[in-house]
Amino acid sequence: MRPGNRRFVSRDVVISGVQDTSFLKEFYCGIQQMDDFIHDGLSLSVASNFCKLYQVSSGEETIAIFSLTFDALHLDLEDKEDLQAQDRIILNPHYEETFWSKRHYPALEISYLAVREDLRGSGIGAFLVEEIIQLAGRQDLAGCQFVTVEAMTHSSTDRDYTAVGFYSKMGFVPCEYPNPSKDTLRMFRPLYY
């Protein structure tokens, strides 16, 4: 069974790239630290071309948001051995030696993902991660082998919140050891496996 097989099903979900971020002032995911960034910092990130923002709507309502940016993933020897042992990546046999000899790999980062507070737990997040995976595989602007994310390990205002378990269920694995002084954990998922 592939990760993220739980699907949010709705005929009227529309995902669209946006430049006008004024709708963010009315969007709440229910995690104070994330809501603070959505209302105060995300617009600046979009305006500064740090990321591309997407609005997920159902009818006239925004049900989720996410943003994407290009990234590079550094895999150390241990990460590569884990990927090879778990057979987690599909490669052309003629390219395998070249692939495994690289130090950095092209990736697309989910720089932000938030589901509206009253819809958390409904499967929308899993649906969106799978849509992003499909988008990363179809985009033709640059090469891409992985999707990355800085998964929140805890919130300064809600110590019980973590996104690591969610991304783990979606097939992402950590590419660093947890750091208690950092509130995120860098994780990745191969696009092709």
Side-chain angles (χ1 to χ4, degrees):
M1 181 181 305
R2 291 199 51 145
N5 63 348
R6 181 176 171 205
R7 301 279 291 183
F8 172 78
V9 179
S10 178
R11 289 185 298 257
D12 65 345
V13 171
V14 175
I15 300 173
S16 53
V18 296
Q19 289 296 319
D20 177 6
T21 59
S22 59
F23 75 96
L24 292 175
K25 292 291 183 194
E26 303 301 319
F27 183 85
Y28 291 88
C29 70
I31 304 299
Q32 187 65 49
Q33 186 174 345
M34 292 173 68
D35 283 336
D36 289 347
F37 178 73
I38 290 168
H39 300 144
D40 299 326
L42 187 53
S43 293
L44 184 58
S45 292
V46 172
S48 300
N49 293 314
F50 175 79
C51 60
K52 173 75 173 166
L53 180 64
Y54 294 85
Q55 181 179 20
V56 183
S57 303
S58 179
E60 297 295 315
E61 298 182 22
T62 301
I63 61 172
I65 59 171
F66 65 90
S67 60
L68 303 174
T69 190
F70 284 117
D71 195 8
L73 178 65
H74 172 78
L75 295 179
D76 62 22
L77 184 58
E78 185 179 325
D79 292 326
K80 291 177 185 182
E81 288 172 352
D82 287 347
L83 280 170
Q84 288 173 319
Q86 298 170 10
D87 203 22
R88 291 209 56 206
I89 194 159
I90 297 172
L91 295 170
N92 179 319
H94 301 291
Y95 189 67
E96 280 187 54
E97 185 177 338
T98 302
F99 180 86
W100 294 116
S101 69
K102 293 190 177 291
R103 291 177 32 90
H104 295 87
Y105 299 87
L108 184 69
E109 180 182 12
I110 302 172
S111 48
Y112 214 78
L113 173 72
V115 174
R116 196 174 72 198
E117 182 176 16
D118 62 319
L119 297 173
R120 287 180 39 209
S122 67
I124 293 171
F127 168 77
L128 290 175
V129 168
E130 288 303 324
E131 290 298 310
I132 292 166
I133 296 290
Q134 295 302 314
L135 174 68
R138 287 190 315 264
Q139 65 85 30
D140 60 3
L141 185 60
C144 192
Q145 287 288 325
F146 296 93
V147 173
T148 61
V149 67
E150 287 281 341
M152 188 177 279
T153 56
H154 64 275
S155 166
S156 59
T157 54
D158 182 356
R159 302 300 282 174
D160 293 332
Y161 177 78
T162 178
V164 174
F166 167 75
Y167 283 106
S168 293
K169 289 177 189 173
M170 298 303 302
F172 287 75
V173 295
C175 58
E176 66 183 8
Y177 292 104
N179 179 344
S181 63
K182 185 180 170 199
D183 63 359
T184 62
L185 179 67
R186 186 162 166 79
M187 303 179 77
F188 72 96
R189 176 177 157 181
L191 278 183
Y192 310 104
Y193 68 97

